[in-house]
Amino acid sequence: MHDTHVAPTWDPQQYLRHATHRTRPFLDLLARIPELPALRRPRIADLGCGPGNVTALIADRWPDAHITGFDSSADMLARARSYEGPTPGGGLLDFAPADATTWTPDEPFDLIVSNAALQWVPGHADSFGPWIDSLTPGGTLAFQVPGNFTSPSHALLGDLCDTPRWRARLGDQGRRFVHILEPEEYLKRLIDLGCAADAWETTYVQVLRGEDPVLDWVKGTALRPVLTALEDDPEAREEFLDQYRDLLRKAYPPGPHGTVFPFRRIFAVARKEI
Ligand SMILES: C[S@@+](CC[C@H](N)C(=O)[O-])C[C@H]1O[C@@H](n2cnc3c(N)ncnc32)[C@H](O)[C@@H]1O
């Protein structure tokens, strides 16, 4: 289902508070990407690059690559630009604004990668065809999206937004539309496009530290639409956060070593035929 949401605002600082847990799936994705075509220095796009820290990790694997991070958030791009410039291996890192909903590559890429971003892009699977068309022969499209939209953190958020109090205040702004497909569906679509494809899922049983860490986590991601809708109404924002915090505390009680917050993620890697 497509929605007509106002795009949420992003807070790089809040997002980066859980950088270690958020980076791990990207490293797992990177490890499954095959060698890129060796005809030239690799040209790589990172779609929905966010604050740029994972974009910079791509240069560890392909030190001489020219890597461009694309994102639609000016705040995220401003943060990412601290990584801009030549890389130690002779490559180049740069960043540019782009909306992944309409982005079509204007040059051939050897790798298009996207980490934890396509869940915000309605109809992204319909863009696989044009994206793969733009890949050089033997090039790869690889992405990871969260697959946790039925987990308590999201279900409770949806239920709270649907209560009469918040439905009246937020309308559809609080509602989170799910744009992801299941791994089998991604696999099928990528194979149908002529790729050698691999898709899988992993649930990371994360242990978070500190007080109300699940609330702190979702403030960086899933809560962005609600926080954006209540940006100019601090009282309502605090009221919403108090109610959601209580629900999360019951669903994810702290244990002696921290709070366990399982997180399912979906991965796909598709290599275009040579
Ligand atoms: C959860 S963050 C992931 C950032 C980064 N890839 C990472 O792994 O740390 C999601 C990012 O997707 C970006 N995003 C959301 N919708 C987008 C769109 N339509 N076009 C481009 N970027 C988008 C957001 O601005 C945000 O930076």
Side-chain angles (χ1 to χ4, degrees):
M1 184 177 2
H2 291 196
D3 63 285
T4 52
H5 278 179
V6 174
T9 55
W10 288 85
D11 178 347
Q13 209 168 329
Q14 179 69 39
Y15 181 71
L16 285 166
R17 283 170 56 81
H18 299 277
T20 309
H21 283 302
R22 293 199 199 276
T23 303
R24 182 175 164 192
F26 184 68
L27 296 175
D28 292 347
L29 179 70
L30 213 50
R32 295 293 302 164
I33 299 175
E35 284 311 312
L36 300 180
L39 297 175
R40 58 173 186 162
R41 83 173 177 159
R43 183 74 182 97
I44 298 175
D46 178 9
L47 209 45
C49 63
N53 54 315
V54 306
T55 319
L57 292 173
I58 301 171
D60 293 344
R61 171 87 187 268
W62 292 283
D64 63 338
H66 176 191
I67 305 160
T68 302
F70 296 98
D71 205 284
S72 55
S73 157
D75 292 326
M76 286 296 203
L77 284 173
R79 181 65 184 249
R81 290 218 159 88
S82 63
Y83 294 96
E84 201 155 56
T87 58
L92 178 67
L93 205 53
D94 54 25
F95 295 90
D99 183 344
T101 330
T102 51
W103 182 73
T104 35
D106 56 5
E107 62 176 302
F109 284 95
D110 302 297
L111 171 64
I112 298 174
V113 68
S114 180
N115 189 57
L118 295 181
Q119 73 277 15
W120 296 100
V121 181
H124 58 266
D126 296 333
S127 296
F128 290 167
W131 294 349
I132 289 166
D133 283 347
S134 86
L135 291 173
T136 49
T140 290
L141 166 68
F143 62 87
Q144 179 272 120
V145 288
N148 65 334
F149 292 95
T150 56
S151 66
S153 54
H154 283 67
L156 292 169
L157 179 58
D159 291 349
L160 184 57
C161 289
D162 270 343
T163 55
R165 159 78 178 106
W166 294 111
R167 185 98 195 118
R169 176 65 180 81
L170 294 166
D172 264 353
Q173 283 303 310
R175 186 172 285 280
R176 183 71 196 277
F177 292 81
V178 177
H179 302 301
I180 61 156
L181 304 179
E182 288 301 312
E184 296 83 350
E185 183 60 24
Y186 281 130
L187 185 76
K188 184 178 170 312
R189 289 197 184 214
L190 294 165
I191 289 174
D192 285 349
L193 289 165
C195 292
D198 180 18
W200 71 99
E201 61 179 79
T202 300
T203 297
Y204 297 87
V205 185
Q206 307 176 137
V207 180
L208 304 184
R209 316 271 175 208
E211 212 175 318
D212 297 309
V214 179
L215 181 67
D216 196 60
W217 176 287
V218 294
K219 274 184 182 174
T221 48
L223 254 186
R224 296 313 312 164
V226 173
L227 294 177
T228 303
L230 300 179
E231 218 154 34
D232 56 358
D233 189 348
E235 224 169 275
R237 183 179 184 274
E238 285 318 304
E239 186 188 342
F240 187 94
L241 288 176
D242 284 346
Q243 293 178 15
Y244 187 37
R245 184 184 294 111
D246 286 346
L247 297 169
L248 288 176
R249 277 183 185 166
K250 288 188 194 101
Y252 301 97
H257 305 293
T259 300
V260 178
F261 180 45
F263 204 114
R264 176 180 180 244
R265 294 184 181 271
I266 294 169
F267 300 77
V269 173
R271 186 166 190 248
K272 182 173 171 170
E273 272 182 18
I274 294 181

